[in-house]
Amino acid sequence: MTASFAPALAAARDAAAAQHYPQPGLYVVATPIGNLADITLRALHVLQLVDAVACEDTRHTQALLRAYGIDKPTLAVHQHNEAEAAQEVVRRLQSGQRIAYASDAGTPGVSDPGARLVAAARAAGCVVVPVPGVSSVTAIVSAGGAGGDGQGFVFHGFLPTKAGERQQAVESLRQESRPIVLLEAPHRIAAVAQALAVLGEREVTIGRELTKQFEEIATVPCSGLTAWVQGSPQRLRGEFALLLHGTPVVADEAAPRRVLQLLLAELPVKTAVKLASEITGAPRNGLYEAALAMKDDA
């Protein structure tokens, strides 16, 4: 065990042991995307508590557990065997066990495997408990400064691998005004940068190796993404999360007056102004002055 995590295990027991942990139950556990210290206290407690840990890669998860000083049997449940392996997990749940599921990094079932396993457990009537934590999706949104204006964001994930399909996908993204989160592997980032170049000056925030020692976060125009990638040989390594910034919505300043004019033809001034303001969101005072001017012109 890494010595620095010994106090964390004790703190996890102190902080989380008094909570209720259904038995049987499937615990969907978020794990760090790079920095081991990002594990939550509840996740550490659950990983100590369960009978086994189902995971995307047993070697990766066993190394993770050893780093925390936890010794548990592991079961392989990955994208190639998830449907079949889920039945073994369900059998264990039905026998009364607590089982955790962890993907290689981040929150299972978002871009990693886990969704089919959860669906199978729910279909069998088993309890599913989320143990939230790190996600590259929320990490890049928080660092990009483009998702906090109330419009939300779109999670797209990985673009298609074939060049033609990838370019079609990018063209469809052009129509989305909200911020979009993309994920990408190092061996495809150059091709993705080239595909996104058609979006011109639309900004993209790049998160490379998020939470790790050589983390890089930068914001550039899509037209400059290829130059950024080529700026250092190191930038062709590591995992990427990209936040394609939203496009500003251009307000039609004439629309409130057109709505007001139509309403004035049928309604008294005060009623027309009130409805025009509610329909368009334009300030009522300005609409009232415009209504009086329209009446004078008439």
Side-chain angles (χ1 to χ4, degrees), residues 246-265:
T247 56
V249 178
V250 179
D252 182 356
E253 295 181 359
R257 293 179 65 89
R258 289 199 298 270
V259 171
L260 178 62
Q261 192 168 27
L262 291 170
L263 292 172
L264 282 172

Side-chain angles (χ1 to χ4, degrees), residues 100-230:
Y101 181 74
S103 56
D104 284 352
T107 303
V110 176
S111 181
D112 296 338
R116 290 182 180 177
L117 173 60
V118 169
R122 290 198 180 282
C126 302
V127 173
V128 177
V129 181
V131 183
V134 182
S135 168
S136 60
V137 175
T138 52
I140 193 62
V141 170
S142 68
D149 56 2
Q151 65 176 333
F153 65 90
V154 176
F155 173 61
H156 186 87
F158 290 88
L159 290 171
T161 57
K162 294 182 178 178
E165 294 176 0
R166 181 166 56 239
Q167 206 61 56
Q168 287 181 1
V170 170
E171 286 300 324
S172 69
L173 297 181
R174 187 198 294 270
Q175 309 305 318
E176 175 57 68
S177 63
R178 292 171 294 177
I180 302 166
V181 177
L182 304 171
L183 303 178
E184 201 45 75
H187 65 281
R188 298 196 318 177
I189 190 61
V192 167
Q194 184 177 4
L196 291 176
V198 299
L199 299 181
E201 294 303 301
R202 187 167 177 175
E203 290 189 326
V204 58
T205 294
I206 311 112
R208 187 184 78 86
E209 292 288 80
L210 288 173
T211 79
K212 300 177 185 178
Q213 182 178 358
F214 299 108
E215 172 185 272
E216 276 191 280
I217 299 174
T219 299
V220 300
C222 287
S223 59
L225 182 54
T226 293
W228 185 88
V229 169
Q230 294 174 346

Side-chain angles (χ1 to χ4, degrees), residues 260 263-276 284 287-295:
L260 178 62
L263 292 172
L264 282 172
E266 305 292 337
L267 299 169
V269 171
K270 287 186 177 181
T271 305
V273 168
K274 178 177 181 294
L275 289 175
R284 192 174 298 188
L287 289 173
Y288 188 76
E289 293 176 2
L292 294 178
M294 289 178 189
K295 285 291 188 182

